[in-house]
Amino acid sequence: LRVEELSEELPVLIEHVGTRRFDVVIPGNEFAVVAAELLAEWLGIYHNDVNKIKLARNKALMRKAFEIARIPQPAVRARVASMAECRALDWAQIPLPVIVKPVDMASSLFVRKCNTVEEVERTVEQILGFGRSMITNYYFQRQALIEEFVEGPEFSLECVVQHGVLRQRILTKKFVSPFPGCFEIGHISGVEMPHRHAEMLNQLSEKIAAIWGMPNGIMHIEFKMTDERLWVIEAAARVPGCRIPELVQMRHGVQIEDTFIRLRAGLPWKPLAASPDVQGEWVGIRFSFPERADPVVTPRIQVLQEHHDDDHVMDGADAFSVDRRSGFVFARSDSFEDLCRFIGDV
């Protein structure tokens, strides 16, 4: 369903459906996660727990739920809903730098590393002033989280949960823009799952699915990970964005969207044996931006697919944000180091 204004009000959703009926409802984007469950429940078809799934859409509520479940994560320093609340914070008790983020937006919009109180206040003011998505007309809550800043490489785990059990997991290495922004500029699939954290990732994936009342579905869990520990940044109850499903299919042959539909429809499904992680082949995607230099294609980089179009670049948007993307390149390599440079160099 394409709607002019995305809502979580059931009467509005019913009006969009009209007399049509569906066998499966899945969210088409981050803002539709709750709406999909509401509509599926009303239609009398498979749905997850409507109230619990709301935790997946509000990062403040998510943090509280993860804390209760003892899921490792950055510490929350404050949650503010006004500039007065922000200015009243005792910065003698809050170590800088911090990460400031909205509780319910997407695509890393207004997620920033702030080194000073002035930077924090400027970012919070922008979050509070941005009330509605320009694409979906979804209304935001206008609240900001101030969190501990943690250092470390960033990853995501693409998870398939069936009957509450993690049945499939694929690790994605993420590349983000230079600070202060935290925008995604590329990904690599085929990276090794570290032994040290493998069991913990299994356990926390199933914990998160249980917290959300989601026995069957797809999850996209973002986290930072070092050799010593990991921190869950956030998790989504939907198919990952940023063309990660295409990347996963190219590298592993796993079709994430098809799996999601089958799980929701109760159709037969079994895990596809993902290609071995450490057999010397990696596939990545690099996003293009007007402010980004052209990549260096070495002999060990094989370009698989590319698309470039400057027509939708938004003037004035934050550098490296999704509104500044001008294209993408999928590439394969037998050199992890070469592909990391190709994908990650700004």
Side-chain angles (χ1 to χ4, degrees):
L1 292 173
R2 288 191 175 272
V3 297
E4 291 184 5
E5 184 174 303
L6 189 51
S7 171
E8 292 173 4
E9 298 295 327
L10 185 57
V12 177
L13 296 171
I14 293 172
E15 186 178 340
H16 288 308
V17 171
T19 60
R20 290 174 292 179
R21 292 296 178 265
F22 302 92
D23 296 316
V24 180
V25 179
I26 62 173
N29 60 46
E30 174 67 15
F31 304 138
V33 167
V34 176
E37 301 295 353
L38 285 167
L39 197 51
E41 182 182 45
W42 177 77
L43 288 166
I45 58 178
Y46 180 87
H47 62 278
N48 294 309
D49 190 298
V50 172
N51 290 317
K52 289 183 179 179
I53 206 71
K54 292 177 182 178
L55 299 173
R57 277 292 304 128
N58 184 299
K59 295 177 178 65
L61 298 179
M62 187 187 302
R63 284 278 179 256
K64 287 183 179 179
F66 286 2
E67 182 180 8
I68 292 170
R70 296 188 174 184
I71 292 173
Q73 61 181 346
V76 174
R77 305 303 189 193
R79 174 183 179 182
V80 298
S82 70
M83 289 307 300
E85 291 179 359
C86 184
R87 295 187 182 106
L89 295 174
D90 182 2
W91 287 101
Q93 303 300 317
I94 301 177
L96 291 167
V98 293
I99 290 289
V100 179
K101 62 174 65 171
V103 299
D104 59 350
M105 294 186 195
S107 302
S108 300
L109 184 63
F110 301 129
V111 178
R112 293 187 189 137
K113 178 187 178 186
C114 297
N115 296 301
T116 67
V117 175
E118 291 73 23
E119 290 176 0
V120 171
E121 291 181 352
R122 196 158 51 241
T123 302
V124 169
E125 188 171 26
Q126 287 183 293
I127 292 170
L128 300 182
F130 198 81
R132 187 172 67 173
S133 166
M134 292 182 289
I135 298 174
T136 64
N137 288 313
Y138 180 91
Y139 284 89
F140 300 122
Q141 294 186 29
R142 302 192 188 200
Q143 295 180 19
L145 274 182
I146 300 171
E147 298 183 344
E148 170 192 16
F149 171 72
V150 296
E151 294 272 11
E154 195 161 338
F155 300 84
S156 67
L157 197 65
E158 323 315 333
C159 306
V160 180
V161 177
Q162 186 180 38
H163 306 310
V165 177
L166 181 66
R167 298 289 307 282
Q168 183 111 48
R169 65 177 192 186
I170 294 174
L171 189 65
T172 305
K173 180 173 174 59
K174 306 170 77 66
F175 295 84
V176 297
S177 63
F179 295 126
C182 302
F183 299 110
E184 296 176 5
I185 61 172
H187 307 279
I188 291 179
S189 189
V191 293
E192 181 181 2
M193 183 74 68
H195 270 309
R196 185 184 185 96
H197 300 306
E199 185 56 33
M200 176 181 285
L201 286 169
N202 289 349
Q203 292 175 3
L204 68 83
S205 299
E206 293 180 359
K207 276 187 178 181
I208 292 171
I211 288 168
W212 289 345
M214 191 182 79
N216 300 295
I218 299 293
M219 295 194 305
H220 171 69
I221 303 174
E222 299 182 352
F223 57 98
K224 288 190 174 183
M225 178 172 60
T226 65
D227 289 341
E228 292 74 31
R229 60 176 297 187
L230 61 84
W231 304 261
V232 175
I233 303 301
E234 60 185 59
R238 55 165 172 80
V239 168
C242 292
R243 298 185 176 271
I244 290 176
E246 296 169 73
L247 186 65
V248 167
Q249 186 169 357
M250 285 181 182
R251 175 58 180 83
H252 300 286
V254 175
Q255 297 182 340
I256 295 178
E257 292 100 332
D258 179 75
T259 297
F260 200 6
I261 292 169
R262 287 180 173 276
L263 290 172
R264 299 281 290 205
L267 296 173
W269 175 83
K270 63 179 181 179
L272 179 66
S275 302
D277 284 336
V278 289
Q279 293 304 308
E281 180 181 281
W282 297 267
V283 178
I285 182 170
R286 172 192 169 99
F287 296 109
S288 305
F289 305 86
E291 54 270 21
R292 192 176 193 187
D294 291 335
V296 177
V297 182
T298 68
R300 298 180 74 174
I301 299 291
Q302 178 190 1
V303 173
L304 304 174
Q305 178 186 344
E306 61 182 310
H307 172 78
H308 301 282
D309 181 0
D310 293 332
D311 290 347
H312 301 291
V313 173
M314 183 182 295
D315 293 335
D318 287 347
F320 301 105
S321 67
V322 292
D323 293 323
R324 297 284 296 167
R325 284 184 188 170
S326 57
F328 60 86
V329 179
F330 282 106
R332 176 186 287 121
S333 182
D334 61 359
S335 167
F336 184 64
E337 291 75 17
D338 280 22
L339 192 59
C340 281
R341 284 191 292 270
F342 178 84
I343 302 297
D345 282 357
V346 175

